Amino acid sequence: MNKDNNQPPSLWDVAKSVMAGFLGVQKSSHYERDFTHGKPWQYITLGIIGVVIFIAVILGIVNLVLSLAGV
């Protein structure tokens, strides 16, 4: 875990920040670290991957419900 806000965030820190962004919650210290030391391409890439996973999960749930309903 990256405790020092003067260091660039690790990949896990970036992933946690992206997940927090999806939920709309973030500590101000992490927010400052992300914008001060983070690389935008990491957040964009993980954000896109997160959206694709979210859409795949929603489609899977819809297909499961439709197949159980016999549609």
Side-chain angles (χ1 to χ4, degrees):
M1 183 168 291
N2 191 353
K3 296 285 185 193
D4 186 7
N5 284 340
N6 292 328
Q7 295 179 354
S10 67
L11 186 58
W12 178 243
D13 291 332
V14 173
K16 290 190 302 187
S17 289
V18 169
M19 287 185 278
F22 280 133
L23 296 175
V25 295
Q26 179 76 289
K27 287 185 177 179
S28 62
S29 62
H30 293 178
Y31 176 80
E32 291 173 14
R33 180 206 57 211
D34 294 343
F35 280 93
T36 305
H37 300 290
K39 295 180 177 88
W41 65 268
Q42 292 175 325
Y43 295 93
I44 293 168
T45 303
L46 287 179
I48 291 170
I49 290 170
V51 168
V52 168
I53 291 171
F54 176 75
I55 290 171
V57 167
I58 296 297
L59 287 175
I61 291 170
V62 168
N63 285 332
L64 176 65
V65 169
L66 290 177
S67 68
L68 292 176
V71 175

